[in-house]
Amino acid sequence: MGKVWILMVFVLVGVVGIVEGARKHPSSGRRIHTLFSVECQNYFDWQTVGLMNSYRKAKHPGPITRLLSCTDEEKNKYKGMHLAPTFEVPSMSRHPKTGDWYPAINKPAGVVHWLKHSKEAKNVDWVVILDADMIIRGPIIPWELGAEKGRPVAAYYGYLIGCDNILAKLHTKHPELCDKVGGLLAFHIDDLRVFAPLWLSKTEEVREDTVHWATNITGDIYGKGWISEMYGYSFGAAEVGLRHKINDNLMIYPGYVPREGIEPILLHYGLPFSVGNWSFNKLAHHDDGIVYECNQLFPEPPYPKEVRQLELDPNRRRGLFLSLECINIINEGLLLQHAANGCPKPTWSKYLSFLKSKAYAELTQPKYVNPATLQMMEDIKEEHVDDGAGKPHPKIHTIFSTECTPYFDWQTVGLMHSFRRSGQPGNITRLLSCSDEDLRQYKGHDLAPTHYVPSMSRHPLTGDWYPAINKPAAVLHWLNHVNIDAEFIVILDADMILRGPITPWEFKAARSHPVSTPYDYLIGCDNELAKLHTSHPEACDKVGGVIIMHIDDLRKFAMLWLHKTEEVRADRAHYARNITGDIYESGWISEMYGYSFGAAETWPLQPFQLMLTFWLFDGRWCPIVIC
């Protein structure tokens, strides 16, 4: 009997070994190949070094190939052929037929060229497509993520609003199949072969449609057609009937807080991020030859011990650790590359010692997806929140908009102090609008939890100087780039002091019923201004200041808020005091009318509930917010 048990144990061990072996060395039908697209520039070279270092550390399976798009002239001067396994593709940055300068088209063009001409493309079952500005944290295995033939997996890109409007109707026969996706892409090779040529042709098609580049149509805050390639992807997929499994957990932007229980396996550092007083913005290093400058690294970030002291909330702290992980892996990759380039051994420093330490190695061990991370958006069912007894209150997130100036910094200090004392539930985020130059000189990074957004003070298209537009622009940017787990959003101004909690359940806010405070001087709601700028002037509410809005409503409304602000600001003929109520007649309150007119367009039959800004304290009625 004992021998039988021993035999069974050996059999079980053998089975486990076979399963593990299959995971590490996929059998037929499970061969993975990873692609990323770059150009012959220093900007992409340091990104390549970071991505390749993370690829090795994460133990991501299968080969990886850099699709390198270069002109002949660029290739003659290029120094980085050794940085990654490379497949050269013709540059499409300058379109050979139209002459249009659009480097982003190299991504689909490179994939098409690889499929047609690479021998490796004939020996693969699954293709993972990434961007160069990404850090891999663990194995990206398509079938474990839920990818199937006919159902690729992709990350969610909510700002692609062209899937919901005329843009999709113009550029695909199946607008109802348009998915707002990008970033991480996991495809079966058969699907990619059918789809890739359409990705390229639809990119060309959208890029040529300059009439529909506007922000309110595409979601591109610059309105310059830069995200045409992303729409080419979504429209091409819709055209061939590919529906994605959409995941909003697998990828995260450094600087954002991951949802509780979620383990992202991909960092996408496309936006500025900071930890305390330290910050990083990839665009500030566009021409940085750091790969070829011996022992030069990006500025060292804080150490884990400092972050533990900086942030007490465990989940926010986890978000900060992700930011550290991103830059440290890039710097580690640069160190290794410098050694491979034949650079002399760097002099000792505390930071170099940390990057070679056991503690750092443990922090950057491969991460593996858990069930919560793998949950697809289509699987998440909306929970009904009942205000009745025993039911949980919905989550709240408070936001306010500022710029990189001392004027807003002291206001931020006051608002943050009042937020902590008021008992306001949920998290708070400062939306900080800065130009690149402002950001380099800015000292107030640690004054509040911060989301960085491009400054719109000087309008990128009209050149109009109007800093107030940063408020709707920042809200829109935040919605499109942050994983928000709150159901209701409270929007305040920086020059406010909270004296008590502002909660949707106390003020009866609900979906399609935002709550705000009366601003009676907005007389434009009663005259020709409203008739000119909204098709529902009767629904124009004179409101502003404090806003409580359901997240679904804010997503639907934010673009109109920005668009209507631009529209009213451009209407100089109606700046007069007797039309707007603006005593300076300078159009300064255009953003406030943009808000009211946008709301009238969004909820023509659902006027705002007006909230009295008073709260009961110690038996007396007092203002809950001091403006």
Side-chain angles (χ1 to χ4, degrees):
M1 185 69 179
K3 292 182 180 179
V4 174
W5 277 110
I6 291 170
L7 180 61
M8 289 178 67
V9 169
F10 275 120
V11 170
L12 285 172
V13 170
V15 170
V16 171
I18 290 169
V19 171
E20 257 329 283
R23 182 186 177 100
K24 293 178 182 177
H25 306 286
S27 59
S28 179
R30 295 201 163 186
R31 298 166 298 181
I32 304 171
H33 200 111
T34 300
L35 303 175
F36 67 103
S37 174
V38 302
E39 298 154 44
C40 287
Q41 299 173 12
N42 288 338
Y43 178 64
F44 286 105
D45 284 355
W46 63 258
Q47 293 177 40
T48 295
V49 166
L51 178 57
M52 289 303 300
N53 187 40
S54 73
Y55 162 78
R56 291 184 287 264
K57 289 175 72 71
K59 297 183 174 12
H60 178 59
I64 188 169
T65 296
R66 172 179 64 161
L67 305 178
L68 184 64
S69 303
C70 306
T71 64
D72 291 339
E73 183 181 357
E74 288 172 334
K75 187 181 173 184
N76 289 336
K77 301 175 183 177
Y78 186 59
K79 299 182 288 186
M81 292 302 297
H82 61 299
L83 298 180
T86 299
F87 185 77
E88 296 179 50
V89 298
S91 174
M92 283 271 286
S93 296
R94 179 74 65 190
H95 197 281
K97 293 183 179 178
T98 66
D100 177 43
W101 178 258
Y102 182 56
I105 202 172
N106 284 314
K107 187 175 180 180
V111 171
V112 169
H113 195 271
W114 180 79
L115 288 169
K116 285 183 178 179
H117 301 287
S118 171
K119 293 179 181 178
E120 291 179 317
K122 297 177 173 61
N123 298 301
V124 63
D125 304 296
W126 295 92
V127 178
V128 174
I129 303 175
L130 304 177
D131 290 335
D133 59 344
M134 289 180 168
I135 296 296
I136 306 170
R137 304 184 70 230
I140 302 171
I141 302 173
W143 55 90
E144 290 190 359
L145 303 187
E148 304 172 71
K149 191 172 180 179
R151 293 295 307 275
V153 165
Y156 179 58
Y157 273 10
Y159 60 87
L160 296 177
I161 61 171
C163 278
D164 303 325
N165 59 40
I166 189 173
L167 200 65
K169 295 174 184 175
L170 285 169
H171 295 291
T172 174
K173 299 172 187 173
H174 303 286
E176 74 283 357
L177 301 183
C178 185
D179 290 325
K180 300 175 183 177
V181 293
L184 166 64
L185 307 169
F187 263 95
H188 192 277
I189 187 66
D190 293 346
D191 295 330
L192 188 60
R193 288 190 186 282
V194 172
F195 156 72
L198 273 166
W199 183 6
L200 176 58
S201 64
K202 289 293 179 182
T203 297
E204 294 173 309
E205 187 180 312
V206 176
R207 181 68 184 170
E208 290 172 10
D209 184 7
T210 56
V211 175
H212 295 95
W213 281 5
T215 300
N216 63 313
I217 296 175
T218 64
D220 176 4
I221 62 170
Y222 300 110
K224 294 182 178 180
W226 194 252
I227 59 177
S228 298
E229 173 270 318
M230 301 176 72
Y231 280 113
Y233 179 92
S234 292
F235 296 158
E239 202 74 357
V240 297
L242 280 178
R243 293 312 306 269
H244 294 79
K245 292 186 176 182
I246 306 175
N247 188 297
D248 201 21
N249 299 322
L250 294 168
M251 184 181 79
I252 192 170
Y253 288 87
Y256 300 158
V257 180
R259 297 186 180 102
E260 285 190 42
I262 299 300
E263 188 65 84
I265 58 170
L266 200 61
L267 304 178
H268 189 184
Y269 56 95
L271 299 170
F273 59 98
S274 64
V275 179
N277 291 324
W278 175 92
S279 64
F280 183 79
N281 180 0
K282 73 168 189 173
L283 295 177
H285 301 279
H286 209 281
D287 298 315
D288 202 324
I290 198 167
V291 171
Y292 309 105
E293 296 169 2
C294 284
N295 304 323
Q296 293 297 308
L297 305 178
F298 292 120
E300 66 180 71
Y303 294 91
K305 183 179 178 180
E306 297 172 76
V307 172
R308 292 187 185 97
Q309 296 170 344
L310 181 69
E311 179 57 68
L312 299 179
D313 179 85
N315 213 44
R316 286 185 174 277
R317 186 191 303 149
R318 197 159 64 97
L320 295 179
F321 273 119
L322 290 176
S323 296
L324 298 183
E325 184 178 331
C326 178
I327 193 65
N328 284 333
I329 286 178
I330 295 173
N331 274 341
E332 181 190 28
L334 288 170
L335 273 177
L336 296 171
Q337 190 59 53
H338 291 157
N341 291 349
C343 290
K345 186 177 180 180
T347 55
W348 182 91
S349 71
K350 180 182 176 183
Y351 184 52
L352 291 183
S353 180
F354 169 71
L355 291 180
K356 295 178 181 179
S357 69
K358 182 179 178 182
Y360 171 72
E362 290 176 351
L363 286 171
T364 55
Q365 286 181 343
K367 309 299 187 296
Y368 299 94
V369 292
N370 56 24
T373 306
L374 291 173
Q375 189 173 40
M376 299 295 167
M377 292 184 69
E378 63 195 29
D379 300 330
I380 300 172
K381 300 207 170 28
E382 185 176 330
E383 295 181 9
H384 175 70
V385 177
D386 191 342
D387 289 339
K391 296 291 184 180
H393 288 308
K395 285 187 177 182
I396 305 172
H397 199 118
T398 302
I399 58 176
F400 65 103
S401 173
T402 70
E403 299 157 42
C404 285
T405 65
Y407 175 71
F408 282 104
D409 286 353
W410 64 258
Q411 295 177 39
T412 296
V413 169
L415 177 56
M416 288 303 301
H417 180 63
S418 72
F419 173 82
R420 288 186 284 264
R421 292 177 62 89
S422 68
Q424 174 70 2
N427 297 319
I428 188 168
T429 296
R430 170 180 63 163
L431 309 180
L432 185 63
S433 301
C434 308
S435 67
D436 289 342
E437 183 180 354
D438 289 337
L439 196 60
R440 281 193 289 270
Q441 301 173 6
Y442 185 62
K443 300 177 182 177
H445 297 284
D446 58 345
L447 298 180
T450 300
H451 173 71
Y452 296 87
V453 298
S455 174
M456 282 274 285
S457 295
R458 179 75 65 190
H459 197 283
L461 296 181
T462 66
D464 178 40
W465 179 258
Y466 182 54
I469 201 172
N470 282 314
K471 186 175 181 180
V475 170
L476 184 62
H477 193 277
W478 180 70
L479 289 170
N480 288 336
H481 293 88
V482 175
N483 293 324
I484 304 165
D485 65 350
E487 186 173 347
F488 281 91
I489 309 302
V490 176
I491 305 175
L492 304 177
D493 290 334
D495 59 343
M496 290 181 168
I497 297 297
L498 277 163
R499 303 188 70 211
I502 302 174
T503 56
W505 51 89
E506 294 290 345
F507 296 103
K508 310 302 180 188
R511 186 184 275 104
S512 299
H513 286 278
V515 169
S516 189
T517 50
Y519 272 16
D520 290 334
Y521 61 84
L522 296 177
I523 61 173
C525 277
D526 302 327
N527 58 42
E528 62 189 283
L529 198 66
K531 295 174 185 175
L532 283 168
H533 295 291
T534 173
S535 50
H536 302 283
E538 73 286 353
C540 184
D541 289 322
K542 302 175 185 177
V543 293
V546 182
I547 300 159
I548 308 175
M549 192 176 292
H550 193 280
I551 184 66
D552 292 347
D553 293 332
L554 189 59
R555 291 189 190 281
K556 181 168 58 174
F557 158 72
M559 177 58 72
L560 271 170
W561 183 5
L562 176 59
H563 174 60
K564 289 294 179 182
T565 297
E566 293 174 310
E567 188 179 309
V568 177
R569 179 69 182 170
D571 184 7
R572 296 178 179 275
H574 294 91
Y575 277 6
R577 179 175 181 175
N578 64 316
I579 295 176
T580 64
D582 177 4
I583 60 172
Y584 302 108
E585 300 186 329
S586 62
W588 195 254
I589 59 176
S590 299
E591 174 272 317
M592 301 176 71
Y593 280 114
Y595 181 90
S596 292
F597 296 159
E601 291 290 292
T602 309
W603 300 283
L605 302 177
Q606 301 286 351
F608 276 62
Q609 300 179 20
L610 300 183
M611 175 178 74
L612 290 175
T613 55
F614 289 85
W615 197 250
L616 187 62
F617 280 88
D618 301 324
R620 296 171 296 160
W621 287 101
C622 303
I624 188 172
V625 176
I626 300 174
C627 303

